[in-house]
Amino acid sequence: MPSRRNSLLILGLVAILLAAAVYLIFIRQPVSQATQLGLDLQGGVSVQLEGYRTDGSEVERDEMERAVQVIRERVDSLGVTEPEIQIQGQDQVSVNIPGITDTERAVEVIGRTAQLGLYEVLAYEQQDNVPEGEVQSAEDDLRQSLKDDSEFEEGETKILFEESPALEGEGTYVAGYIVSEQPQITGGALDSATVGVDDQSNRIVQMNFTREGGQQFTDLSQEISQSTLGAGEPGRLAIVLDDDVESAPVVEQAIPGGQVSISNDSLPGGLPQDEAEELQVVLETGALPVNMRVLSVTTIGATLGAASLAGGLIAAAAGFALVLAFLTFIYRALGMVASAALLIYAFLLWGVIVAVPITITLPGIAGVVLALGVAADANIVIFERVKEEVRRGKTPRSAIALGYQKGFRAILDGNLTTIIVAMILFGLSSGSVRGFAVLLSIGVLLSMFTAVVVTRALLGLISSRGGLNLTPRMLGVSPDSIRPAGRGSESGEKARVR
Amino acid sequence: MAVGRATRNIDFVGGWRKWFAVSLAVIVLGLAAIGLGRLNLGIDFTGGTEFTLNDPGSGVTADGVQNAVPSGVAGEVTAQRLGNGNFEVTTPPLSQSESAEVRDALSSQFDSEVSTTNVSPTFGGQVRDQALQAVGVALAVIVVFISYRFEFAFATAAIAAVIHDILVTAGVYALVGREVNLVTVVAVLTVLGYSLYDTVIIFDRIRENTPEGEYERSRFDRLINDSIRQVITRSIYTSLSTLIPISALLIFGGSTLSDFAFALLVGILAGTYSSIFIASPVLSLYKARRGARPQREDEPQPGQV
């Protein structure tokens, strides 16, 4: 049993911690803003992406870090608040954006590799008015026939396609272009991109080159303008984004000034507003260093989130109240002390969640509730020991001391196994599971403090001189079951040698 | 002490054939159900797209919801009503635009908020591998930990109990046909930790009660029985105090938390049973085999005859 002075010291520490928790939760900001809620509780979009390379080689960690940078800029330019972007494992990244619902646009903007390339067109063929559903076979035909072209050389050149609404009439305009394997100018030469209009008031995305890039572009356009395609046709420049040809304008003379634009002349008004903005964002933020494929997309509506939060809180509160009632019923005075400790535990846990801060998710709530069971258990282990000692004839005071002494090792081992499992979960899993593991671990650690140290100090204070005189009945032990001290009985006692 | 008194006549160790038979029956039934393909794997593992309709109101049926999905977009569609009045529609993996099409159709027809989850099959496979890996690593680390804190025999017994719990939980899932998702796996891993905790508490008492000196089977078995009797009240109270908040999750927690709570409920019942009726007898049997060896070096090993 700790001395009265030590008990007071511990309880003083608890009081300070509680005061800190009150400050963090209620005073520092309005209480409604204190706790960070996860997507599943407030609604939003969560996207899981995987980086990969077309040649199948491993993605490097620093490439993923650069990718995250780019994604962060893109998400910021969507104008949303507090996105959470994390690398997971070697090649995955999770993007959580609270409060948006336009999943399609978010995914399109985030996951787009946006590899920009400018190529000199070596040869091309086209088909207009391709009916819907036959685009693929039209491309296959074009590829077949372009492979016979004298400009095509396996390994040195590749064939890229353009698909756009037909120039006149129904269907799709499909064109195949033979270009060199590597682009003559890459996205690195780009300085900025802006949405603007051309002379016909059609919406375009204007790309502005860096000084060096501008020089490269002047040289390239010069070269193209002097070349001809097939039957004396003027040379063309292919503007390619992610292996799709956006447009392939004719270049009749060298273009100085370092500007080139992406347009869509076949649509009235040019590029649609959102497509233009999206293009501007991906060009402006630069290319992702690796390709990204979407692994999973989750959209949670705000109403569903709110309902989950309410359900989780009610469940936690009900569970909590019932556990307190249960402990008090079984262990009487001891149970009340344990209940006080559990209340302290709950409040300190909230304080930790706000202080770190930890984002609360549904699995996180589950972790908190489970840790509540573990916290109650620590007290049960100790109190069962105490009752056992009381039945052996010990005074409540020394029984309590022995109970803590003997119960502690079991609690330590038990809680360590729980924390080990939580750590494995944390290390090997991702996203929401991690929230569960974190809260379970913190809950278990905190519960060791409140259920062992704090209850012990409380009991020390209660049973110290001048305090309450605890009787066996107050500990939930009926006087009949107490055996006189000193008389060993029962086989369990015989086996005990120590 | 009522519990302690009631268990005075139970031979926890000697009656192992009975306890094992009960568990075996449950496990065999469960495995048969799994063999028959009754294990309902969710899109977390298989890949697919799931739509959740938030409380479209009364009068809406699962069939109605299913028919509202535009035909030709989604392929095989299943719809079901969840406990809280929400509906869940599951389809094979859809592209972003297809998924948006279905979402818009559902939300306009029922004037209700629609949440979506889209998991690619690759990712589902990864999640499955990750989950199995986590279970494997957890088991290995625990063997090391318990061998270190106790001894190898205890670790063997604890692992037997944990594997028992995993099999029982998986079997019950197959039997009742509840969906297995990522949350279920987390719950199973948690149960694994809980069951171990429970086992460790009993083992701690056995360790404490073990006298110095030579191992002797009948004395050790008696000691296990006594140790269990000493801690069984605690075991039951702890299970209750854990099951109380879990029941609250099951009842109030909405679909995700109630899924989690169900797995915990089954697992913790199995875990409490296994710490007492599986782990302890296994410890005794293992010790009997190992402990007997040194004295019988010149005789054939039991089981090889």
Side-chain angles (χ1 to χ4, degrees):
Chain A
M1 213 77 250
S3 69
R4 189 183 161 82
R5 193 168 144 267
N6 283 347
S7 300
L8 283 173
L9 268 176
I10 290 165
L11 294 178
L13 174 68
V14 169
I16 292 170
L17 290 175
L18 284 176
V22 167
Y23 168 75
L24 288 172
I25 298 168
F26 296 103
I27 300 174
R28 195 174 55 163
Q29 72 280 299
V31 61
S32 57
Q33 291 166 21
T35 320
Q36 273 187 20
L37 296 179
L39 280 186
D40 50 355
L41 299 178
Q42 65 163 332
V45 174
S46 167
V47 184
Q48 186 100 17
L49 300 152
E50 182 180 52
Y52 69 99
R53 279 207 249 225
T54 37
D55 61 2
S57 61
E58 284 240 329
V59 174
E60 305 287 333
R61 175 84 188 181
D62 62 308
E63 286 176 321
M64 284 311 284
E65 273 160 14
R66 271 186 290 137
V68 164
Q69 278 305 323
V70 174
I71 290 174
R72 190 177 303 281
E73 282 173 40
R74 291 186 187 175
V75 174
D76 284 344
S77 65
L78 283 175
V80 293
T81 50
E82 295 179 45
E84 191 184 73
I85 303 166
Q86 285 176 332
I87 300 183
Q88 286 172 347
Q90 173 73 20
D91 56 2
Q92 291 183 9
V93 57
S94 86
V95 184
N96 289 335
I97 314 172
I100 81 162
T101 44
D102 190 351
T103 334
E104 230 183 318
R105 177 150 179 237
V107 172
E108 185 61 28
V109 170
I110 295 165
R112 187 141 192 193
T113 315
Q115 301 268 15
L116 177 75
L118 301 181
Y119 295 85
E120 176 179 357
V121 174
L122 302 173
Y124 79 104
E125 277 184 37
Q126 63 195 43
Q127 282 185 24
D128 206 356
N129 304 91
V130 177
E132 196 183 350
E134 287 176 26
V135 173
Q136 191 60 47
S137 63
E139 286 185 6
D140 290 342
D141 291 347
L142 289 173
R143 183 179 290 114
Q144 217 43 52
S145 109
L146 281 169
K147 277 192 173 171
D148 296 333
D149 195 288
S150 59
E151 293 287 350
F152 184 78
E153 202 175 325
E154 194 74 54
E156 294 289 317
T157 58
K158 59 183 175 184
I159 299 171
L160 299 175
F161 293 95
E162 176 182 359
E163 290 168 26
S164 56
L167 303 173
E168 265 172 79
E170 294 289 298
T172 309
Y173 170 80
V174 181
Y177 300 89
I178 298 179
V179 296
S180 56
E181 190 66 33
Q182 297 300 324
Q184 276 76 38
I185 297 178
T186 63
L190 212 58
D191 181 43
S192 64
T194 46
V195 178
V197 286
D198 63 10
D199 343 328
Q200 281 96 44
S201 308
N202 286 333
R203 195 175 291 108
I204 56 166
V205 173
Q206 180 104 16
M207 298 184 285
N208 310 305
F209 291 106
T210 58
R211 257 168 60 94
E212 197 186 333
Q215 189 54 52
Q216 281 177 23
F217 185 65
T218 312
D219 295 347
L220 178 64
S221 53
Q222 171 81 31
E223 198 181 314
I224 295 175
S225 66
Q226 284 161 7
S227 69
T228 48
L229 291 171
E233 238 189 289
R236 281 173 184 260
L237 166 79
I239 302 169
V240 178
L241 197 62
D242 292 342
D243 282 354
D244 290 323
V245 178
E246 296 292 322
S247 60
V250 170
V251 179
E252 283 166 337
Q253 60 192 55
I255 308 169
Q259 281 190 340
V260 63
S261 58
I262 297 179
S263 59
N264 190 338
D265 296 335
S266 53
L267 288 179
L271 292 169
Q273 175 82 27
D274 48 354
E275 196 184 320
E277 280 172 10
E278 186 191 303
L279 209 54
Q280 187 246 328
V281 167
V282 296
L283 288 174
E284 181 97 31
T285 52
L288 292 177
V290 288
N291 298 304
M292 288 283 172
R293 83 177 124 233
V294 175
L295 291 177
S296 77
V297 183
T298 307
T299 331
I300 311 262
T303 326
L304 181 68
S308 300
L309 177 63
L313 288 182
I314 292 171
F320 200 76
L322 288 169
V323 168
L324 296 190
F326 176 76
L327 285 176
T328 309
F329 177 70
I330 305 264
Y331 298 111
R332 312 291 164 88
L334 288 177
M336 274 147 76
V337 169
S339 299
L342 279 180
L343 284 171
I344 294 172
Y345 157 78
F347 207 73
L348 289 183
L349 184 59
W350 192 5
V352 171
I353 288 167
V354 173
V356 173
I358 298 167
T359 305
I360 289 287
T361 57
L362 271 182
I365 292 180
V368 170
V369 172
L370 199 75
L372 172 69
V374 175
D377 174 68
N379 282 126
I380 291 173
V381 170
I382 293 167
F383 295 166
E384 279 305 313
R385 273 295 173 131
V386 171
K387 282 167 98 170
E388 223 176 287
E389 300 298 334
V390 169
R391 287 194 193 99
R392 291 210 180 103
K394 299 262 168 38
T395 64
R397 228 179 104 78
S398 57
I400 289 171
L402 277 169
Y404 276 93
Q405 205 183 320
K406 290 183 171 173
F408 183 71
R409 193 162 63 159
I411 294 170
L412 184 68
D413 281 347
N415 285 341
L416 277 177
T417 45
T418 307
I419 289 176
I420 288 174
V421 170
M423 277 173 19
I424 292 167
L425 268 179
F426 184 85
L428 287 180
S429 60
S430 52
S432 55
V433 179
R434 288 194 155 188
F436 171 78
V438 168
L439 278 169
L440 182 61
S441 310
I442 293 177
V444 166
L445 286 174
L446 200 59
S447 80
M448 294 256 281
F449 173 66
T450 57
V452 180
V453 180
V454 175
T455 57
R456 198 173 179 185
L458 281 171
L459 282 169
L461 203 62
I462 290 171
S463 61
S464 67
R465 259 171 299 122
L468 199 64
N469 193 18
L470 290 168
T471 64
R473 201 179 277 284
M474 286 165 75
L475 307 182
V477 180
S478 78
D480 315 339
S481 63
I482 300 175
R483 296 186 298 272
R487 220 186 78 195
S489 66
E490 302 286 313
S491 44
E493 205 67 14
K494 280 178 210 148
R496 192 182 301 273
V497 186
R498 272 180 260 175
Chain B
M1 202 53 188
V3 186
R5 216 169 285 153
T7 56
R8 193 149 299 169
N9 295 321
I10 301 179
D11 185 355
F12 297 99
V13 177
W16 63 271
R17 286 191 179 81
K18 262 182 284 174
W19 323 135
F20 286 13
V22 170
S23 292
L24 204 65
V26 175
I27 291 173
V28 166
L29 267 178
L31 288 181
I34 294 175
L36 290 171
R38 291 283 309 269
L39 204 59
N40 177 6
L41 289 177
I43 63 163
D44 287 351
F45 300 113
T46 57
T49 305
E50 199 170 84
F51 302 85
T52 308
L53 249 80
N54 195 53
D55 201 9
S58 56
V60 178
T61 62
D63 281 344
V65 173
Q66 184 159 350
N67 292 333
V69 176
S71 57
V73 177
E76 196 186 332
V77 180
T78 54
Q80 68 178 103
R81 191 171 200 281
L82 302 177
N84 45 11
N86 294 357
F87 284 85
E88 193 176 273
V89 179
T90 312
T91 70
L94 300 181
S95 73
Q96 279 306 307
S97 56
E98 288 167 337
S99 139
E101 196 178 326
V102 174
R103 187 185 61 197
D104 293 344
L106 288 174
S107 94
S108 62
Q109 175 147 358
F110 297 102
D111 191 23
S112 151
E113 180 188 276
V114 178
S115 302
T116 61
T117 310
N118 198 342
V119 180
S120 75
T122 357
F123 190 48
Q126 283 178 14
V127 168
R128 195 172 47 217
D129 295 347
Q130 234 175 32
L132 291 176
Q133 207 183 345
V135 174
V137 172
L139 291 179
V141 171
I142 281 154
V143 169
V144 173
F145 176 73
I146 296 190
S147 303
Y148 170 71
R149 293 289 293 181
F150 296 88
E151 52 182 287
F152 186 68
F154 287 72
T156 314
I159 290 297
V162 164
I163 292 175
H164 164 270
D165 302 338
I166 294 176
L167 289 178
V168 168
T169 312
V172 169
Y173 260 79
L175 285 172
V176 301
R178 246 182 194 258
E179 185 186 294
V180 178
N181 47 36
L182 198 53
V183 168
T184 321
V185 174
V186 176
V188 166
L189 277 161
T190 312
V191 162
L192 195 148
Y194 175 87
S195 164
L196 272 167
Y197 183 21
D198 218 31
T199 308
V200 162
I201 299 272
I202 294 177
F203 283 3
D204 177 71
R205 191 55 78 98
I206 295 173
R207 173 175 63 183
E208 185 184 318
N209 289 342
T210 305
E212 301 286 327
E214 284 287 291
Y215 163 81
E216 188 205 315
R217 178 161 188 184
S218 65
R219 190 176 62 184
F220 189 67
D221 285 0
R222 207 162 54 233
L223 182 149
I224 293 180
N225 272 336
D226 289 335
S227 302
I228 293 177
R229 272 179 214 125
Q230 286 166 8
V231 295
I232 197 165
T233 318
R234 172 263 156 206
S235 246
I236 289 167
Y237 284 171
T238 297
S239 298
L240 281 175
S241 79
T242 315
L243 289 176
I244 289 169
I246 288 170
S247 310
L249 282 182
L250 191 65
I251 297 165
F252 302 110
S255 58
T256 311
L257 284 180
S258 94
D259 274 350
F260 182 77
F262 180 78
L264 283 185
L265 189 80
V266 176
I268 284 178
L269 288 174
T272 308
Y273 178 85
S274 74
S275 328
I276 298 171
F277 295 101
I278 304 291
S280 304
V282 168
L283 177 63
S284 153
L285 292 172
Y286 185 85
K287 277 278 217 179
R289 266 186 79 99
R290 301 297 310 224
R293 249 172 227 178
Q295 293 140 32
R296 294 193 187 180
E297 229 151 15
D298 44 2
E299 285 180 35
Q301 293 289 313
Q304 288 183 343
V305 193

